[in-house]
Amino acid sequence: MALRIIPLGGLGEVGKNMTVYEHGDDLVVVDAGLAFPRDEHLGVDLVLPDIGYLEGRRVSAVVLTHGHEDHVGGLPYLLRQVDCDQVIATKLTLGLIKSKLDEHGLAAATRLEEAETGRKIQVGSFTLDFVRVAHSIPDCVAVVLETEAGRVVHTGDWKLDHTPVDGLKTDVGRLAELGNEGVDLLLGDSTNAERPGMTGSERLVGEAFRTLIPLRKGRILVVSFASNVHRMQQAIDVAIQVGRKVAIVGRSMRKNLNIARGLGYLDVPEHVLVKPQEAMELPPSQVMILCTGSQGEPMSALTRIAYHDHPAVSVERGDTVIISAKPVPGNELRVHDSINRLAKAGAEVLHQEIAPVHVSGHACSEELRTMLSLLRPRAVMPVHGEYRMLAAHGQLAREAGVPAEAIVIAENGSVVELQPGRTPQIVDRIDAGLTFVDGLGVGDVRDVALRDRRRLSEDGVLIIVTTLASSNGGSTAPPELIARGFGDSDSFLDELRDEAARVLEELAAEDITEIKLLQEHLHDAVGQVVYDRTRRRPMILPVVIEV
Amino acid sequence: MALRIIPLGGLGEVGKNMTVYEHGDDLVVVDAGLAFPRDEHLGVDLVLPDIGYLEGRRVSAVVLTHGHEDHVGGLPYLLRQVDCDQVIATKLTLGLIKSKLDEHGLAAATRLEEAETGRKIQVGSFTLDFVRVAHSIPDCVAVVLETEAGRVVHTGDWKLDHTPVDGLKTDVGRLAELGNEGVDLLLGDSTNAERPGMTGSERLVGEAFRTLIPLRKGRILVVSFASNVHRMQQAIDVAIQVGRKVAIVGRSMRKNLNIARGLGYLDVPEHVLVKPQEAMELPPSQVMILCTGSQGEPMSALTRIAYHDHPAVSVERGDTVIISAKPVPGNELRVHDSINRLAKAGAEVLHQEIAPVHVSGHACSEELRTMLSLLRPRAVMPVHGEYRMLAAHGQLAREAGVPAEAIVIAENGSVVELQPGRTPQIVDRIDAGLTFVDGLGVGDVRDVALRDRRRLSEDGVLIIVTTLASSNGGSTAPPELIARGFGDSDSFLDELRDEAARVLEELAAEDITEIKLLQEHLHDAVGQVVYDRTRRRPMILPVVIEV
C-alpha cells in the first residue's frame, strides 16, 4: 500500500508548519504549527495551514519534532477540528504544549505520549522512531516513519552543532545506522540550503557573551526568542560569573523559563533571579535582563522598553542591549526602529549585523551534504523552505548522487506517493491554502476581505448616499458624500457631490430608476472624476435608498 | 554672521534627501532628493522632504552631490515651489537631471551650472568648492561651503575605494589639504558607521562577474540599480570578453545608459547592443540582459520577467540571474518573491547573500576614521543615517579626538548654528515633516488620511445607512448595512442590522432626533456588538439622512 505525504502551511515555505502522512486509514500528522502574518495579511493575527483535508477524520497521532511556534502553535486549532488519538513529542516539547492546551481548555481531552530517542512507537501501520537533532531549542528530534511502503526520515528543523550547550548532539551514529539499513525518502530542512559552509555552534554565542558582557558597566539586556533555552542558559551563566542578578521580562519568556527549569532543561540557581522592579533598583552593573521582542513585535517587552512604555524596565546611557536573534524577513524595519529608539535612549545596541551575538538554528549546505552522506536516501523531498531553498537542497542531493527523477520538489498541497521499490511521485493535489485567524474568527476572513482591505488601504473609501422617492423615482435630497483615507479637500468633495447630482438628474430625465443602474452610474462617473483629477482609485460605494 | 544648517527629508534618516544652508539672506540647498514609501505609507507613491521653510523665498543655489534619486529625485517638486537662481552639479549629474526637468517642463526655466573639482563657485556670501569622492554612481563630489562663519565639508554619499572602475578615487590629497587649512564642521555620511572595516571596492563585483559569467552557458541577466553605471560597465566588459551581446531592459536603465554613454561615462561599442527581442532570438550562450528591478518593485522589468509577464524577455532552465544589489530595508520580501519565481522558472539566481555580486557604496567605520584623520574637523555632525548610525559615527568622531560637545546629533528640522570660533549648537527647530505624493496630489494626503487607511486596512469598514423623516423624526426605512474587508457573513450582518434598528427605535421612543446623536449611538452600539463577537474594530460609518 502506498504512503501519501502532503506538506501543508507556511507562507511560501513548503511543509513548514505541517506534513500529513497517510497510509491506508492511518493518518499521522508531523507538526502542527502556525505562521505569523506579513504586512500583506492586513489585520490578520495568525496564519494556520488549511486542514480541510483532515476535517472529520481520525488522526492516529500528531507528532511534534520540537517546541517552536511554527511547529506547535497550530495544535489547539487542529485538535478542535479533528479527532486525534494522541500527541507524541519529547519531554520539553510536551511541557511547552501542555500550557498551551490548558489555555485553550484542551488539556483534559488530549492524550500526550512522550517520545524518547531509541524507543519505537507503533501507531497503526506506522512504526515511529526518533533521532536526536540539534537546533535552537532543546529536545528536538527527527522522526523516522516506517510503513510497508518504505522508510522515511523527516528531519524537522536541525543543524549539526558538534558542541551544543546541552551536549546533546545530532546523533550522527544513529543516522549512519539508518543509512545502512536503507532510507527510501528524506524530507529535509532546506532553510539554509543556499548558504555555503557550516552554521556556527550555539556555543559561539556564549563565547560572544563572555567577551562582551564583562567589559560593560551598565545594565545588560539580552533579547532573544522566548523559546531559545540554550541562549538563556548561556546568558545566565555569564551573569553568574560576573555577579549580575537576572530578571526575566516578557510573559512568554517567563513561562518558557519556568517550564524548562521545572523539567531540568535550564539550570538557574534561585538566588540569581530577581523581579524586574527589584532589578531596576540594583546598581546597573549588577543587572542582566532577559527579555522578548527580538522581532520588534509591537506589544513585546523590548518594543515597550524602547518606547519608554514598559511598566518596570527602562534603558539609559551606559546600558547595553544585545539583540541575540535575526529579524525574520519582513520584520527588518520594526527591528531597526527598536534599535534606533534604544540608541536614542543612550544604550549601546549590539545586534547580529555588527557583533557575533546570534547563530542560525538551521543546517547550511555542508551540513546538508553530511546528512545526505549519512542517510544515503534513495529519494529526497526538500521541505521547510521557499522554492529557491528547496531548489538549492535538490541540487545538493543531485551532487550527492541522488538521481534527478528521485528528487521531488513539492508544493503545499502536493500529494507525494511512496510505493515499495518505486521512486516517489507527485500524484495529486489537494486544496491547501491558508486559514487566517483574525480576532476570534478562524477562517472567516478570506482572500476577498483581504483584497478589500488592500484596496481600502491604498486610496481609502468614498461613500455616496442618495435617496430616491419611491413615488416618482426622483431623488428627495442632495447626495451626501463621505470620504475616509482619501486626502479629500472640502471643495473637491463639493465638486464630486455636484457630479453625483448631475448623474442623478440625467438618469431621472431618462426615467432610469432602477437602483442597481443608479449605483453603477454613480460609481463610474464619480470614480472617473476622482481618477482624472487625482490619479487615485478609492473604493467607491454608492448607496441608494428608496424612501 | 552665523551659518544655519537644517537637515531635511529621509525616512528616519537625518538630512538624507536635503540640507539647507542659510547665511544671512543667502540660501544654499544641498541635494533635493526623495524617499520611496514604505508599507506604512499606504498608497503613497513618493515621499518628499517638507520644504515649507523655503516656500516663497529665493534660493541662491541648489547643489547636487550626485545623481541618485534620493539626492536629486525631489528637484522638480522643489523648483516648482521656490525661486531658484541655479542648480549646480557635476556633468553626469546634470545630464541625469536634465531629462527629469524636461519631463516636468522645467528645463527652460532652470539655469544649470556645471561643477568641476578644483574650481570654486561664488554664490552670494558662500564660496563653494568640490572634492571628488567615490560612490556607486560616477561623478560624485563632496561640497565645501565656506562663509565667514567657517568652513563646512559636506561629504554626500561616499566610500574610499582605492580602485574605482573609472580610476577617479576619493581625492584624499585634497581632503588632507582641507584638513591642513582647517575644517570647522564635517557633515558626513553615516550609513555604514556601525559596520567594521572597509567597504569592498566596486572592482570586486567585476571580479565576481569575470569568475561567474564565463562558466555559464545559458542567458545571463544582470540586475542592478539603473544608475549604477560602473556596474553596467563591468558587466558589459565581461559580456564582450565572452562574446555575448547585451540587451538593456527597463526604461530607466535605457535612459541612464544613453545619458552616461553620450557624456562619455560609459564605453559600449555599438555592435554589442541588441534589442531585447533580438537577444531572445540569439542562442542563450550569446546573450546578456541588463535590467532593472533589483528591489522587487512591482512594475519593474525583473518582477515582470519573474511573473512571466514581460513582453520581450523570459527566463528558462539554464539561465542565470545575478541580482547585483542589496534589498533596501523593507523590500526583502519582494526581492525574495522575485528570487523564488525565477528559481521556479528554472533559473539559477545569484544574489548578495550567497555570492559576492554586490558591494555597498558607503564608507564603513575604518573609512570614516580615515576621513576624520584627513579633515581633522573641529566639529562633526553625522548625517545620512538612522539614529543608531549617527550615534556610531559620533562615537568614531570621539575616538578620533573630537570633543563630545562638538559632536552634534541633529534630527530633521533641527537648526544647527555655526558661528566663527564657536562650537556648533542646535538653536532651534522648524516644522520638517514629510510630504506625500499620491497620484497627482503633492501634500494633500496627510497623516489623518494615512491613519484612516491604516484603520481601514486592519478590519475594513462597516457603513450603516438610515433615513429619518424630517416630519416626525421616525426612521422611514430599515437601516442598510454595507461591509467591506470585514469578513462578514450574511447572518451576522442581519444581526447587526437588528441592533441598529433596535437603537433607532429606542432613540425614537425617547424623542431623540438629532442626527449627530443618532450617529453616535449607532456607532457605539453596533461597534460594541462587532467587537464582542469578533474582537475586530472595523471603521463604522453611520449615515443618517433626513428625507
Side-chain angles (χ1 to χ4, degrees):
Chain A
M1 194 190 301
L3 174 71
R4 288 156 58 93
I5 306 170
I6 311 169
L8 293 173
L11 297 171
E13 293 176 301
V14 174
K16 183 68 191 171
N17 302 142
M18 184 181 287
T19 307
V20 174
Y21 288 87
E22 186 176 14
H23 188 248
D25 289 338
D26 295 326
L27 277 172
V28 170
V29 175
V30 176
D31 288 332
L34 53 75
F36 293 97
R38 295 178 172 172
D39 283 331
E40 74 209 65
H41 304 114
L42 297 163
V44 168
D45 300 318
L46 299 172
V47 179
L48 300 173
D50 175 354
I51 53 163
Y53 185 72
L54 299 175
E55 255 165 284
R57 300 180 63 186
R58 169 162 298 277
V59 171
S60 309
V62 175
V63 181
L64 305 172
T65 57
H66 64 287
H68 277 155
E69 282 298 295
D70 53 343
H71 292 256
V72 306
L75 186 62
Y77 302 94
L78 176 67
L79 293 180
R80 273 201 227 126
Q81 305 277 337
V82 302
D83 284 328
C84 171
D85 294 343
Q86 58 187 327
V87 176
I88 304 175
T90 56
K91 194 160 92 175
L92 178 63
T93 308
L94 286 186
L96 292 169
I97 63 163
K98 257 181 212 155
S99 75
K100 200 179 287 291
L101 296 177
D102 266 341
E103 282 169 26
H104 283 81
L106 290 160
T110 310
R111 188 162 87 78
L112 302 180
E113 170 81 20
E114 189 175 320
E116 289 167 279
T117 57
R119 184 173 69 85
K120 294 185 180 175
I121 299 180
Q122 194 69 33
V123 174
S125 56
F126 284 86
T127 308
L128 304 179
D129 196 2
F130 305 91
V131 183
R132 171 74 51 211
V133 293
H135 182 44
S136 49
I137 183 171
D139 224 7
C140 302
V141 287
V143 183
V144 186
L145 302 104
E146 217 170 319
T147 60
E148 58 177 58
R151 184 182 286 122
V152 180
V153 176
H154 181 116
T155 65
D157 292 350
W158 75 285
K159 64 194 261 192
L160 208 42
D161 204 341
H162 292 296
T163 55
V165 172
D166 58 6
L168 295 170
K169 308 176 201 181
T170 294
D171 188 350
V172 291
R174 178 68 188 126
L175 291 168
E177 216 171 75
L178 284 166
N180 292 337
E181 291 165 15
V183 171
D184 296 293
L185 177 62
L186 165 66
L187 272 79
D189 178 4
S190 309
T191 310
N192 280 342
E194 290 181 302
R195 293 178 197 271
M198 307 275 292
T199 300
S201 169
E202 176 64 28
R203 206 170 282 268
L204 292 178
V205 178
E207 283 173 23
F209 288 169
R210 278 194 295 282
T211 309
L212 296 167
I213 292 173
L215 299 173
R216 265 81 186 169
K217 300 280 167 250
R219 282 182 203 95
I220 304 279
L221 278 81
V222 177
V223 193
S224 77
F225 277 109
S227 61
N228 203 328
V229 173
H230 290 151
R231 196 85 31 111
M232 288 193 243
Q233 181 73 65
Q234 295 193 103
I236 291 169
D237 287 349
V238 178
I240 295 171
Q241 273 171 37
V242 299
R244 288 176 184 263
K245 299 281 184 190
V246 177
I248 312 292
V249 175
R251 199 182 73 94
S252 57
M253 192 170 264
R254 265 202 316 279
K255 199 179 81 177
N256 288 353
L257 175 114
N258 288 335
I259 294 168
R261 225 175 142 213
L263 296 173
Y265 288 87
L266 195 57
D267 179 19
V268 190
E270 193 56 43
H271 69 88
V272 172
L273 294 177
V274 294
K275 288 201 192 316
Q277 291 82 349
E278 290 165 17
M280 293 306 288
E281 285 163 16
L282 291 170
S285 65
Q286 294 174 21
V287 177
M288 174 184 283
I289 288 164
L290 294 186
C291 75
T292 54
S294 66
Q295 298 300 312
E297 308 92 323
M299 295 307 293
S300 68
L302 187 67
T303 306
R304 297 188 64 187
I305 293 169
Y307 275 79
H308 305 291
D309 180 39
H310 195 276
V313 179
S314 60
V315 297
E316 57 187 24
R317 189 155 301 281
D319 292 350
T320 303
V321 180
I322 300 176
I323 302 186
S324 183
K326 189 179 173 178
V328 171
N331 290 345
E332 292 85 355
L333 291 177
R334 283 186 192 155
V335 175
H336 292 178
D337 183 54
S338 291
I339 296 173
N340 283 319
R341 298 262 164 188
L342 294 162
K344 258 186 205 172
E348 182 187 13
V349 186
L350 301 172
H351 52 93
Q352 50 99 31
E353 285 184 67
I354 57 170
V357 294
H358 175 68
V359 293
S360 169
H362 299 274
C364 286
S365 61
E366 291 306 315
E367 293 159 270
L368 297 178
R369 288 186 208 273
T370 305
M371 180 65 88
L372 289 161
S373 293
L374 289 167
L375 292 180
R376 284 170 287 136
R378 280 185 262 282
V380 172
M381 177 174 158
V383 290
H384 295 6
E386 301 170 21
Y387 191 91
R388 60 192 172 121
M389 303 162 189
L390 307 187
H393 197 177
Q395 185 58 31
L396 293 172
R398 286 192 68 172
E399 290 164 17
V402 180
E405 64 274 15
I407 297 169
V408 184
I409 310 248
E411 294 183 80
N412 285 325
S414 294
V415 180
V416 177
E417 202 170 82
L418 179 68
Q419 300 228 38
R422 295 257 293 274
T423 298
Q425 302 282 345
I426 298 177
V427 297
D428 198 1
R429 203 179 147 66
I430 63 162
D431 278 344
L434 300 168
T435 299
F436 301 126
V437 180
D438 181 0
L440 296 180
V442 179
D444 63 331
V445 169
R446 292 174 205 283
D447 286 342
V448 59
L450 288 192
R451 211 159 46 232
D452 282 344
R453 289 182 188 177
R454 166 69 57 193
R455 177 83 185 278
L456 289 164
S457 78
E458 298 269 337
D459 284 320
V461 61
L462 182 67
I463 302 156
I464 309 166
V465 184
T466 187
T467 51
L468 200 68
S470 47
S471 48
N472 62 6
S475 66
T476 57
E480 280 207 35
L481 267 69
I482 300 147
R484 287 289 186 279
F486 167 61
D488 46 314
S489 71
D490 285 346
S491 60
F492 186 45
L493 283 187
D494 284 344
E495 193 183 325
L496 295 176
R497 185 177 299 113
D498 292 347
E499 173 67 12
R502 191 192 61 73
V503 169
L504 291 169
E505 268 170 41
E506 227 177 74
L507 294 170
E510 297 175 38
D511 268 346
I512 296 174
T513 58
E514 212 212 313
I515 287 184
K516 218 170 167 53
L517 279 177
L518 294 179
Q519 287 177 332
E520 262 174 37
H521 277 91
L522 280 172
H523 177 277
D524 294 351
V526 174
Q528 192 61 46
V529 174
V530 170
Y531 183 73
D532 289 345
R533 290 285 305 279
T534 66
R535 289 290 181 276
R536 293 177 201 156
R537 295 195 183 282
M539 182 181 277
I540 293 178
L541 298 174
V543 185
V544 181
I545 302 196
E546 234 169 338
V547 289
Chain B
M1 196 191 299
L3 174 72
R4 287 155 60 93
I5 306 170
I6 311 169
L8 292 173
L11 297 171
E13 292 177 301
V14 174
K16 182 70 190 170
N17 303 141
M18 185 181 287
T19 307
V20 174
Y21 289 88
E22 185 176 15
H23 188 248
D25 288 338
D26 295 325
L27 277 172
V28 170
V29 175
V30 176
D31 288 333
L34 52 73
F36 293 97
R38 296 177 171 173
D39 283 332
E40 73 209 64
H41 303 115
L42 296 164
V44 168
D45 300 317
L46 300 172
V47 179
L48 300 172
D50 176 352
I51 52 162
Y53 185 71
L54 299 175
E55 256 165 282
R57 300 180 64 186
R58 169 162 298 276
V59 171
S60 308
V62 176
V63 181
L64 306 172
T65 57
H66 63 287
H68 277 154
E69 283 297 295
D70 54 344
H71 292 256
V72 305
L75 186 63
Y77 302 94
L78 175 67
L79 293 180
R80 272 199 228 127
Q81 304 276 337
V82 301
D83 285 328
C84 171
D85 294 343
Q86 58 187 327
V87 176
I88 304 176
T90 56
K91 195 160 93 176
L92 178 62
T93 309
L94 286 186
L96 293 169
I97 62 164
K98 257 181 213 154
S99 75
K100 201 179 287 292
L101 296 178
D102 265 341
E103 281 170 25
H104 283 80
L106 289 161
T110 309
R111 189 163 87 78
L112 302 180
E113 169 81 19
E114 189 175 320
E116 290 168 278
T117 58
R119 185 173 68 85
K120 294 185 179 173
I121 299 180
Q122 194 69 33
V123 173
S125 56
F126 284 87
T127 308
L128 304 179
D129 195 2
F130 306 91
V131 183
R132 170 74 52 211
V133 293
H135 182 45
S136 48
I137 183 172
D139 223 7
C140 302
V141 287
V143 183
V144 186
L145 303 103
E146 218 170 317
T147 60
E148 57 176 61
R151 184 181 287 122
V152 180
V153 176
H154 181 116
T155 65
D157 291 352
W158 76 284
K159 64 194 262 191
L160 209 41
D161 203 340
H162 292 296
T163 55
V165 173
D166 58 6
L168 295 170
K169 308 177 200 180
T170 295
D171 188 350
V172 291
R174 178 68 189 126
L175 291 168
E177 217 171 73
L178 283 165
N180 292 337
E181 290 165 15
V183 171
D184 296 294
L185 178 62
L186 165 67
L187 271 80
D189 178 5
S190 309
T191 310
N192 280 342
E194 290 181 301
R195 293 177 197 273
M198 308 275 292
T199 301
S201 169
E202 176 64 28
R203 207 169 280 266
L204 293 177
V205 178
E207 284 173 23
F209 288 170
R210 278 195 294 282
T211 309
L212 297 167
I213 293 174
L215 298 173
R216 264 79 186 170
K217 300 278 167 250
R219 283 184 203 93
I220 304 279
L221 279 81
V222 177
V223 193
S224 78
F225 277 110
S227 61
N228 203 329
V229 173
H230 289 153
R231 197 86 29 113
M232 288 192 243
Q233 181 73 65
Q234 296 193 102
I236 292 170
D237 288 348
V238 178
I240 295 171
Q241 274 172 36
V242 300
R244 288 177 184 263
K245 300 279 184 192
V246 177
I248 312 291
V249 176
R251 200 183 72 94
S252 57
M253 192 169 266
R254 265 201 317 279
K255 199 180 82 179
N256 288 353
L257 175 113
N258 288 334
I259 294 168
R261 229 177 139 209
L263 295 173
Y265 288 87
L266 196 56
D267 179 18
V268 190
E270 193 56 42
H271 69 88
V272 173
L273 295 176
V274 293
K275 288 202 191 318
Q277 291 82 349
E278 289 164 18
M280 294 306 289
E281 285 163 15
L282 290 171
S285 66
Q286 294 175 19
V287 176
M288 174 185 284
I289 288 164
L290 294 186
C291 76
T292 54
S294 65
Q295 298 300 311
E297 307 93 323
M299 294 307 292
S300 67
L302 186 68
T303 306
R304 296 188 64 187
I305 293 169
Y307 275 80
H308 305 292
D309 180 38
H310 195 276
V313 180
S314 60
V315 296
E316 57 187 24
R317 189 156 302 281
D319 292 350
T320 304
V321 180
I322 300 176
I323 302 185
S324 183
K326 189 178 172 177
V328 171
N331 290 344
E332 291 85 356
L333 290 177
R334 284 186 192 154
V335 175
H336 292 178
D337 183 53
S338 291
I339 296 173
N340 283 320
R341 297 261 165 190
L342 293 163
K344 256 184 207 176
E348 183 187 11
V349 186
L350 301 173
H351 52 93
Q352 51 98 32
E353 284 184 67
I354 58 170
V357 294
H358 174 69
V359 293
S360 169
H362 298 274
C364 286
S365 62
E366 291 306 315
E367 292 160 271
L368 297 179
R369 288 186 208 273
T370 305
M371 180 65 88
L372 289 161
S373 294
L374 290 166
L375 291 180
R376 284 169 287 135
R378 281 186 262 281
V380 172
M381 178 173 157
V383 289
H384 295 6
E386 301 170 22
Y387 190 92
R388 60 193 172 119
M389 302 162 189
L390 307 187
H393 197 175
Q395 185 59 32
L396 294 172
R398 287 193 67 172
E399 289 164 19
V402 180
E405 64 275 16
I407 296 168
V408 184
I409 310 248
E411 293 181 80
N412 285 325
S414 293
V415 180
V416 177
E417 203 170 81
L418 179 68
Q419 301 228 36
R422 297 257 293 273
T423 298
Q425 302 282 344
I426 299 177
V427 296
D428 198 0
R429 201 178 150 66
I430 63 163
D431 279 344
L434 300 168
T435 299
F436 301 125
V437 181
D438 181 0
L440 296 180
V442 179
D444 64 330
V445 170
R446 291 173 205 285
D447 286 342
V448 57
L450 287 192
R451 212 159 46 232
D452 282 345
R453 288 182 188 176
R454 167 69 55 194
R455 177 82 185 278
L456 290 164
S457 78
E458 298 269 336
D459 285 321
V461 60
L462 182 67
I463 301 154
I464 309 166
V465 184
T466 187
T467 51
L468 201 67
S470 46
S471 49
N472 62 4
S475 65
T476 58
E480 281 208 35
L481 267 72
I482 300 147
R484 287 290 186 279
F486 167 61
D488 45 313
S489 70
D490 284 346
S491 60
F492 187 43
L493 282 187
D494 285 344
E495 192 183 326
L496 295 177
R497 184 177 299 112
D498 292 346
E499 173 68 12
R502 191 191 60 72
V503 170
L504 290 169
E505 269 171 41
E506 228 176 75
L507 294 170
E510 295 176 40
D511 267 345
I512 295 174
T513 60
E514 212 212 312
I515 288 184
K516 218 169 167 55
L517 278 177
L518 295 180
Q519 287 177 332
E520 262 174 37
H521 278 91
L522 281 172
H523 177 277
D524 294 351
V526 174
Q528 192 61 47
V529 174
V530 170
Y531 183 74
D532 289 346
R533 289 285 305 280
T534 66
R535 288 290 180 278
R536 292 178 201 156
R537 296 194 182 283
M539 181 182 279
I540 294 178
L541 297 175
V543 185
V544 180
I545 301 196
E546 234 168 337
V547 290

